[in-house]
């Protein structure tokens, strides 16, 4: 089948296999992109209207025991200026976020051994009891089942753990031998079993990635059916082994956002900071391709530059209020509206057919 007939099939809600996804990605044209984008926006509108959900991102520590080849806060990066927020600093960020209208807080960090279960459980309980109508999302990497369970029992609602790539051999090119593909995937299943709303995701254009790898990512998203999917372009960081690799493409990221929206119409899909970093209107274009979530930064301004996963990251100089206002204005400028809401996943409508 041609890319055009595959795009039409996807828009009509028909299932595609890995080979079809690969063809669709490899042979995409302006016409297929326009079809996918139009259909993705239609199905997203049916479910979420013009609403865009916001999550306040608090980067709680850039200390990390892992050594992922792509990541600027990897253990071996001696140039990284390490920090860890205190519990009080994190609570202050959440309080400020609440005043600004955030009803979801995302706590993200490197895999920092000092973030013990006791520390995190107390932190989560405090956030949840002072803000009863808020959701807490964690993005703290791989932990034990017991730890995930304790954090859930303390009140955490959601967990973001990008699978990074659904191809084991590719995973092994992006990570040192100490990290295991099987464990990462197992963590996602464990999180779901415990009861979290779970987010998976991957980088677009990471080194050695092929269209077949991306096709497997799409199959994984279709089959695992996460509540959230974080995708953004790979962007090199100068102090990592991947410093010389090119960044992922805007067009391919947008194409994948549309395809993922069509695969799972009600998915929570962020237009990521990485997307905003490779193009001045990257996040707006992401929303217009089918995304429905943005994650402005709520971290204290003095640590923002230090949480440098990649070079030239945007939104590192402004106060939280400015960051929120700027993003709200951007969203409104393209006809959407940022809402004060926990932003939970909505049930899918009975028919998900998008073709008119
Ligand atoms: N330690 C946590 C959080 C990781 S940072 C965890 O392991 O899940 C969040 C995401 O940033 C990662 O999952 C990765 O997909 C992305 N990221 C890291 N380095 C990047 C880079 N150089 N370019 C683009 N995205 C990157």
């Amino acid at each position: 089948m041609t890319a055009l007939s595959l795009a039409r099939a996807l828009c009509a809600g028909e299932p595609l296999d890995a080979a079809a996804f690969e063809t669709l990605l490899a042979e995409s044209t302006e016409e297929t992109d326009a079809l996918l984008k139009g259909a993705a926006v239609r199905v997203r509108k049916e479910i979420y209207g013009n609403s865009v959900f916001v999550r306040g991102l608090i980067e709680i520590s850039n200390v990390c025991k892992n050594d992922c080849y792509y990541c600027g806060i990897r253990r071996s990066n001696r140039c990284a200026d390490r920090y860890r927020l205190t519990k009080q600093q994190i609570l202050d960020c959440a309080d400020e976020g609440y005043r600004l209208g955030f009803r979801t807080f995302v706590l993200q960090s490197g895999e920092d051994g000092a973030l013990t279960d006791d520390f995190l459980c107390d932190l989560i309980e405090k956030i949840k009891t002072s803000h009863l109508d808020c959701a807490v999302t964690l993005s703290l990497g791989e932990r034990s089942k017991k730890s995930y369970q304790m954090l859930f029992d303390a009140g955490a609602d959601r967990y973001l753990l990008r699978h990074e790539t659904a191809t084991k051999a590719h995973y092994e090119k992006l990570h040192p031998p100490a990290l295991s593909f099987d464990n990462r995937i197992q963590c996602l299943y464990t999180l779901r079993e415990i009861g979290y709303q779970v987010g998976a995701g991957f980088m677009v254009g990471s080194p050695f990635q092929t269209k077949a790898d991306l096709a497997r990512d799409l199959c994984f998203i279709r089959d695992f059916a996460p509540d959230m999917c974080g995708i953004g372009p790979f962007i090199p960081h100068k102090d990592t082994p991947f410093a010389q690799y090119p960044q992922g493409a805007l067009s391919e990221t947008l194409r994948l956002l549309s395809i993922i929206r069509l695969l799972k119409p009600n998915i929570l899909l962020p237009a990521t900071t990485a997307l905003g970093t490779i193009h001045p209107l990257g996040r707006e274009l992401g929303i217009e391709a089918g995304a429905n979530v943005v994650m402005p930064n709520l971290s204290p301004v003095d640590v923002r530059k230090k949480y440098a996963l990649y070079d030239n990251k945007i939104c590192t100089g402004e106060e939280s209020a400015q960051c929120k206002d700027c993003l709200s204005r951007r969203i409104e400028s393209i006809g959407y509206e940022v809402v004060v809401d926990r932003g939970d996943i909505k049930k899918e409508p009975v028919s998900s057919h998008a073709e008119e």
Side-chain angles (χ1 to χ4, degrees):
M1 284 226 274
T2 64
L4 186 58
S5 50
L6 291 169
R8 287 201 178 112
L10 187 58
C11 293
E14 289 167 27
L16 301 192
D17 62 12
F21 285 129
E22 192 179 340
T23 304
L24 184 56
L25 292 171
E27 294 169 22
S28 67
T29 60
E30 275 179 27
E31 191 180 6
T32 58
D33 281 349
L35 264 179
L36 295 172
K37 178 178 153 172
V41 167
R42 277 199 295 282
V43 296
R44 193 267 321 276
K45 280 230 158 97
E46 254 179 61
I47 304 173
Y48 292 104
N50 281 337
S51 299
V52 170
F53 296 135
V54 277
R55 318 315 194 176
L57 179 64
I58 310 174
E59 297 152 334
I60 66 178
S61 165
N62 72 350
V63 176
C64 193
K65 67 175 166 61
N66 292 333
D67 227 3
C68 309
Y69 301 141
Y70 47 84
C71 183
I73 63 169
R74 64 198 299 267
R75 180 185 69 215
S76 296
N77 181 9
R78 301 275 171 259
C79 303
D81 185 1
R82 305 288 171 175
Y83 75 91
R84 178 182 302 125
L85 299 183
T86 64
K87 203 176 281 175
Q88 193 55 50
Q89 280 179 302
I90 301 167
L91 293 170
D92 290 345
C93 291
D95 290 346
E96 162 80 350
Y98 192 85
R99 280 192 293 276
L100 294 171
F102 291 95
R103 295 296 178 265
T104 290
F105 302 109
V106 180
L107 309 181
Q108 190 177 82
S109 74
E111 290 197 16
D112 177 355
L115 299 177
T116 61
D117 294 334
D118 284 350
F119 175 91
L120 292 166
C121 286
D122 183 52
L123 175 66
I124 294 162
E125 278 163 18
K126 288 201 162 82
I127 296 176
K128 294 280 293 194
T129 46
S130 42
H131 306 297
L132 293 175
D133 54 345
C134 288
V136 168
T137 303
L138 303 176
S139 178
L140 309 170
E142 296 171 40
R143 301 177 71 93
S144 67
K145 179 173 186 178
K146 179 163 164 278
S147 172
Y148 286 150
Q149 183 72 57
M150 285 176 72
L151 303 178
F152 183 76
D153 294 341
D157 302 273
R158 311 185 185 126
Y159 206 104
L160 305 178
L161 186 79
R162 291 186 176 183
H163 62 284
E164 311 297 1
T165 168
T167 307
K168 186 172 181 156
H170 184 220
Y171 191 92
E172 290 168 358
K173 292 181 182 164
L174 303 179
H175 302 92
L179 289 169
S180 124
F181 172 75
D182 293 338
N183 191 58
R184 191 118 185 136
I185 300 293
Q186 182 55 52
C187 283
L188 285 167
Y189 282 95
T190 301
L191 289 161
R192 159 155 314 149
E193 189 191 313
I194 290 172
Y196 285 94
Q197 293 172 43
V198 180
F202 55 94
M203 288 177 287
V204 180
S206 60
F208 317 112
Q209 183 181 67
T210 63
K211 303 294 179 224
D213 294 332
L214 284 172
R216 277 184 285 271
D217 287 319
L218 291 172
C219 291
F220 178 72
I221 296 301
R222 179 197 61 203
D223 299 339
F224 181 69
D227 302 288
M228 304 161 281
C229 182
I231 73 163
F234 160 75
I235 304 174
H237 184 292
K238 62 180 180 0
D239 302 315
T240 63
F242 289 168
Q244 303 307 324
Y245 285 87
Q247 67 185 27
L250 175 72
S251 56
E252 185 152 70
T253 308
L254 298 175
R255 187 173 305 130
L256 285 156
L257 285 171
S258 298
I259 294 174
I260 292 168
R261 170 65 59 203
L262 291 167
L263 284 179
K264 190 164 167 20
N266 63 341
I267 199 165
L268 296 163
L269 195 58
T272 56
T273 305
L275 189 55
T277 297
I278 63 162
H279 187 283
L281 297 176
R283 287 166 301 177
E284 290 88 327
L285 292 166
I287 301 289
E288 289 176 324
N292 66 331
V293 174
V294 285
M295 298 169 69
N297 202 318
L298 275 183
S299 307
V301 174
D302 62 306
V303 304
R304 287 193 194 180
K305 280 202 165 48
K306 300 180 188 174
Y307 197 81
L309 307 177
Y310 46 81
D311 290 333
N312 307 316
K313 189 176 148 204
I314 54 167
C315 307
T316 57
E318 293 177 318
E319 293 295 340
S320 301
Q322 292 172 297
C323 222
K324 165 84 195 305
D325 283 349
C326 162
L327 209 47
S328 298
R329 272 197 310 276
R330 285 168 175 267
I331 302 303
E332 281 159 21
S333 77
I334 53 168
Y336 291 79
E337 184 195 3
V338 166
V339 291
V340 176
D341 192 298
R342 272 172 54 117
D344 287 302
I345 192 163
K346 290 211 168 56
K347 277 176 73 174
E348 282 183 57
V350 187
S351 153
S352 64
H353 287 234
E355 221 159 35
E356 286 184 326

